[in-house]
Amino acid sequence: MKTPSSLTLTAVSGFVAVVMGAAAAHALEGDHAKQMVEQASLYHLIHSAVLLHVIDRAGKIAGAAKVFFALGIVLFSMSIYLRYMTDIVIPAGVVPLGGVSYMLGWLALAAYGLRR
């Protein structure tokens, strides 16, 4: 069996972001839950698009950016989805760590740009 490519995984990530945005708009009750999932979906979608930009870039710094963006999606966005769409309790600090991962991804991308 062929393993999914980075492009395929990133495309699925973008799809999930759109699905979660739709779920927030149409399936969630309560303004706070809707706002939180919509925000997580927005960040998820933006960072999936950025991953598409860096996916074929080579080098340690580009690789770090990819890892940080992927970690941000999992730790920030996915944790918020789980918190507001299920009864799963997310440990304190996971969501902020995801936010920091997003920020580090942007800094790594900036460093990559400076080195080119």
Side-chain angles (χ1 to χ4, degrees), residues 25-62:
H26 301 290
L28 285 178
E29 293 182 19
D31 289 340
H32 182 68
K34 283 183 180 192
Q35 289 172 349
M36 294 302 292
V37 173
E38 284 175 351
Q39 187 70 32
S41 173
L42 175 64
Y43 275 51
H44 185 171
L45 186 59
I46 289 168
H47 291 89
S48 292
V50 172
L51 273 172
L52 283 175
H53 175 72
V54 298
I55 205 156
D56 291 329
R57 308 280 191 235
K60 290 180 182 179
I61 296 174

Side-chain angles (χ1 to χ4, degrees), residues 17-108:
V18 173
V19 167
M20 296 310 292
H26 301 290
L28 285 178
E29 293 182 19
D31 289 340
H32 182 68
K34 283 183 180 192
Q35 289 172 349
M36 294 302 292
V37 173
E38 284 175 351
Q39 187 70 32
S41 173
L42 175 64
Y43 275 51
H44 185 171
L45 186 59
I46 289 168
H47 291 89
S48 292
V50 172
L51 273 172
L52 283 175
H53 175 72
V54 298
I55 205 156
D56 291 329
R57 308 280 191 235
K60 290 180 182 179
I61 296 174
K66 292 179 233 182
V67 168
F68 285 131
F69 289 137
L71 276 173
I73 289 169
V74 171
L75 297 175
F76 183 86
S77 296
M78 297 294 183
S79 292
I80 291 173
Y81 300 154
L82 286 173
R83 178 178 178 186
Y84 289 98
M85 299 190 80
T86 71
D87 291 330
I88 296 174
V89 177
I90 303 302
V94 172
V95 173
L97 185 59
V100 169
S101 295
Y102 281 147
M103 291 180 228
L104 291 172
W106 285 107
L107 289 175

